[in-house]
Every structure is written in C-alpha cells, then in structure tokens.
Amino acid sequence: MQFCPKCGGIMVPVKKDGETVLRCTKCGYEMKAKKKESYVIKEKVKEKDKPKTTSLVSEPSKFGVSDEEQQQRVEDYYEIALELMQEESEGSDEGEQ
C-alpha cells in the first residue's frame, strides 16, 4: 500500500490510457505504478451484508402463501393495473376535447 506524497491519502490503482497508475483517493494526485502486477483490489463482504436475491421472494410457499392465494394476488394486481390504465386513458381523452 502506498500513500500520497502530497496529502497522505491512500493511493489506489486505476487504468488510464491502457496503463496502471496510482491515484490518491483524497486529492486526485496520480503517479505511475512501478509494478502493475503487484496491485490488486480486493473487498471482503460479510455474509449479512450481501444482498438478498429475489429467489426467496418468488417462492410463496416458504412464506405461508398458498399457490391459490398467490394466483389471486397476481390477478388482483393486474385487475387494478388495468383499471388505472383505463382511468388514465379516459382522463387524457377528456383533456383533448
């Protein structure tokens, strides 16, 4: 790890015009990297901080919702969406007259 000679900030590797340079995270000072192979950026993410995927939500049986109830919810959702679209369409027709 290297530190900026101007402000003491951390220098991180970035690609610029096909070359690896070190850039200060605070002031933006750049210097050519001596050995580009030796610079690797890694980040460890704790299991609890990882984003949850939608696969958990897409399985209603895990959350106590039956298939019939899930189907009814989907139908209700589309029915409401269609009603709103129809109201919007009628409202825009009245505005044109």
Side-chain angles (χ1 to χ4, degrees), residues 58-72:
S58 64
E59 297 178 27
S61 60
K62 285 187 174 182
F63 299 102
V65 179
S66 68
D67 290 339
E68 294 83 21
E69 188 176 352
Q70 180 67 17
Q71 183 63 33
Q72 184 62 45

Side-chain angles (χ1 to χ4, degrees), residues 11-53:
M11 302 291 284
V12 294
V14 294
K15 291 281 187 183
K16 184 176 181 181
D17 299 327
E19 292 185 352
T20 302
V21 295
L22 296 176
R23 182 180 296 153
C24 177
T25 56
K26 286 185 178 180
C27 70
Y29 173 80
E30 291 181 352
M31 60 188 267
K32 191 171 181 178
K34 294 175 182 152
K35 293 182 180 179
K36 63 181 177 182
E37 297 86 24
S38 64
Y39 296 104
V40 178
I41 297 175
K42 290 185 179 182
E43 182 179 345
K44 290 186 178 183
V45 179
K46 295 179 182 175
E47 188 66 34
K48 67 177 183 149
D49 295 335
K50 289 183 181 179
K52 306 297 184 237
T53 62

Side-chain angles (χ1 to χ4, degrees), residues 56-90:
L56 293 176
V57 178
S58 64
E59 297 178 27
S61 60
K62 285 187 174 182
F63 299 102
V65 179
S66 68
D67 290 339
E68 294 83 21
E69 188 176 352
Q70 180 67 17
Q71 183 63 33
Q72 184 62 45
R73 287 180 181 182
V74 170
E75 289 173 11
D76 292 345
Y77 171 82
Y78 284 113
E79 184 178 325
I80 292 169
L82 287 172
E83 288 174 6
L84 289 173
M85 288 174 58
Q86 186 176 5
E87 288 174 10
E88 227 176 74
S89 172
E90 290 171 357

